[in-house]
Amino acid sequence: MDRIVIVGGGVLGMMHAVQARGRGLDVVQLEREAAPRGASVRNFGLVWVSGRAPGPELALAKRARELWEDLAAEVPAIGFRPHGSLTLAADDAELALLKEAAEMPDAAQRGFELLDPAAATHANPALRGEFAGALLCRSDAIVEPRAVPAAFRDHLLATSPAVGAGYQWLPGREAVEVAAHAVRDHTGTWHKGDLVVLCTGAAHTGVAGRHLAGYDRPPVRRVRLQMLQTEPFGTRLSTSVADGDTLRYYPAYDLPARARLGPQDPAAAAAGAQLLLVQRLDGSLTIGDTHAYGEPFGFDLDETLYDLLRGRAQRLLGTELPRTRRRWAGVYSQVTGSELYHRSVVTEGVVLVTGPGGRGMTCSPAIAEETFTG
Ligand SMILES: Cc1cc2nc3c(=O)[nH]c(=O)nc-3n(C[C@H](O)[C@H](O)[C@H](O)COP(=O)(O)OP(=O)(O)OC[C@H]3O[C@@H](n4cnc5c(N)ncnc54)[C@H](O)[C@@H]3O)c2cc1C
């Protein structure tokens, strides 16, 4: 293999480009926007090992976590920090579940440790609210999502042997048609490669649409999340933070004590809400999220969900949050079956790689690696 064409400039496309260049291949990468605008720049930037299901999902996330750390050494502009996370229990039922998690056979691999409230506050002094205990996960890490695609693009351009050779970044080019080993963009130009990889994210009707429509049961669906970012918070957070509602969603916590959790707050349950909180390099806080599965999605942002998320964050931090700087929604592609992501052959020499869902930022380096090694 000498040359690869990648469609999509999100994190999956970028990781394929990085992997391909690392293997000495020439890369042409098309992005329909002037710069990526999809899930990859709208997410928390959590490299999230803690919540992964035991077995293949944890293995994929752990491999990806290693790769993120290696990549950070080469491309510091991605803002990688190995800060770990704290998942906070609001009551005894949540604490019992955290205790079971801390005793799982793979707890050491995840870097889990159960902390009492004093130890949790010691680990992250910004947490001045009320909680019953916490689960520290030392494997979790943070990157800066708004910076990641551009940082890799700039790195690949800077390390190319000459302009137009090695790595070519073609923004503003929408792929509209595929053929064996080739893709045509909206200007009519065909791009040929030994392999074409479609990393088109949640665009399930575009160039991947005809292929996806050929399945009896759709292999991927779309999920919409609401997020916010505050102005800088006065105190440094030494870890990312999750609330007890995350225990209801992440597969790692599918343990006996989950059945003994009390009912979720009805407003949070209706919105599929959980609290995740990450401090950005400039001190601001990214806070989310909610989950909507039914299309058509709202085109507007629901303010009541922001009241819910801000209220929860304030309770854990034990202080007022700075004002909201910006709000947005993001949509990701998620597999509907039990596989970890979707990979399929569209036609000879053309593959579609999408559907990693809420683990896409985390697992993207390892998913791209599997394209070349799998
Ligand atoms: C709000 C939110 C929070 C999240 N938080 C996390 C998190 O903290 N940790 C985690 O692991 N995951 C998280 N995720 C999931 C993660 O962001 C996604 O799984 C991941 O970004 C998917 O990357 P992608 O490259 O496949 O898709 P995208 O980022 O959507 O990129 C696809 C790109 O392809 C381009 N494109 C589409 N069609 C064409 C075409 N025909 N021609 C050319 N270009 C095209 C699009 O413009 C886009 O730039 C979150 C997702 C959201 C929405």
Side-chain angles (χ1 to χ4, degrees):
M1 202 191 298
D2 295 319
R3 179 180 157 97
I4 169 169
V5 179
I6 298 166
V7 179
V11 71
L12 265 180
M14 282 299 166
M15 290 297 184
H16 279 84
V18 168
Q19 281 281 338
R21 289 297 299 135
R23 289 170 157 74
L25 308 179
D26 285 339
V27 173
V28 176
Q29 185 167 14
L30 283 66
E31 164 56 51
R32 67 182 173 187
E33 305 288 342
R37 289 283 178 277
S40 301
V41 292
R42 295 170 189 241
N43 64 45
F44 292 95
L46 283 170
V47 178
W48 199 245
V49 176
S50 49
R52 313 278 67 112
E57 187 179 349
L58 180 61
L60 188 73
K62 281 190 59 76
R63 174 62 186 147
R65 168 70 172 74
E66 276 171 20
L67 291 168
W68 273 113
E69 194 149 4
D70 295 348
L71 290 165
E74 258 183 277
V75 191
I78 64 176
F80 178 87
R81 283 99 77 201
H83 282 183
S85 72
L86 284 173
T87 298
L88 303 178
D91 55 33
D92 288 346
E94 289 180 358
L95 187 60
L97 181 45
L98 293 185
K99 204 178 264 178
E100 283 184 2
E103 288 164 3
M104 291 193 298
D106 59 20
Q109 278 186 58
R110 298 172 194 258
F112 274 173
E113 187 185 343
L114 191 69
L115 303 181
D116 64 23
T121 307
H122 183 71
N124 189 341
L127 296 171
R128 300 196 192 108
E130 298 255 311
F131 46 89
L135 185 67
L136 172 68
C137 177
R138 291 194 177 81
S139 307
D140 287 339
I142 302 170
V143 292
E144 291 299 290
R146 286 169 186 251
V148 164
F152 284 125
R153 178 203 60 204
D154 292 349
H155 170 74
L156 291 169
L157 288 171
T159 52
S160 275
V163 176
Y167 177 69
Q168 275 182 275
W169 166 248
L170 300 180
R173 298 287 188 107
E174 178 160 357
V176 293
E177 185 183 353
V178 294
H181 298 278
V183 63
R184 184 170 66 87
D185 72 30
H186 74 284
T187 70
T189 306
W190 280 97
H191 305 271
K192 294 186 181 154
D194 299 291
L195 182 66
V196 176
V197 188
L198 305 180
C199 297
T200 41
H204 292 172
T205 51
V207 71
R210 197 161 160 194
H211 169 69
L212 288 171
Y215 284 79
D216 290 339
R217 175 175 177 263
V220 282
R221 66 172 174 175
R222 305 192 328 146
V223 182
R224 177 183 183 268
L225 290 70
Q226 278 193 207
M227 306 279 284
L228 73 94
Q229 185 179 1
T230 68
E231 295 291 353
F233 183 62
T235 313
R236 259 350 279 181
L237 268 74
S238 47
T239 68
S240 56
V241 177
D243 79 351
D245 273 345
T246 61
L247 303 175
R248 301 170 190 275
Y249 297 114
Y250 282 116
Y253 306 113
D254 189 9
L255 297 165
R258 193 190 246 179
R260 294 190 287 278
L261 293 179
Q264 190 178 14
D265 168 82
Q274 58 179 4
L275 182 79
L276 292 166
L277 189 156
V278 183
Q279 192 164 41
R280 304 266 66 97
L281 284 173
D282 70 356
S284 62
L285 303 175
T286 303
I287 295 174
D289 54 13
T290 61
H291 297 86
Y293 300 94
E295 298 208 41
F297 296 135
F299 53 81
D300 44 10
L301 297 168
D302 183 344
E303 194 61 27
T304 54
L305 303 183
Y306 288 115
D307 294 342
L308 181 86
L309 292 170
R310 283 186 60 99
R312 283 173 171 231
Q314 282 175 175
R315 275 197 296 283
L316 296 181
L317 294 171
T319 183
E320 284 285 304
L321 283 181
R323 70 182 274 275
T324 298
R325 178 193 280 173
R326 46 171 86 107
R327 306 158 201 273
W328 66 94
V331 176
Y332 61 62
S333 170
Q334 183 184 52
V335 284
T336 52
S338 59
E339 62 278 41
L340 300 176
Y341 60 93
H342 176 86
R343 176 190 300 282
S344 58
V345 175
V346 177
T347 188
E348 191 190 321
V350 181
V351 292
L352 170 65
V353 183
T354 189
R359 59 193 158 219
M361 193 72 168
T362 303
C363 295
S364 55
I367 293 172
E369 185 177 59
E370 289 186 353
T371 296
F372 298 95
T373 60

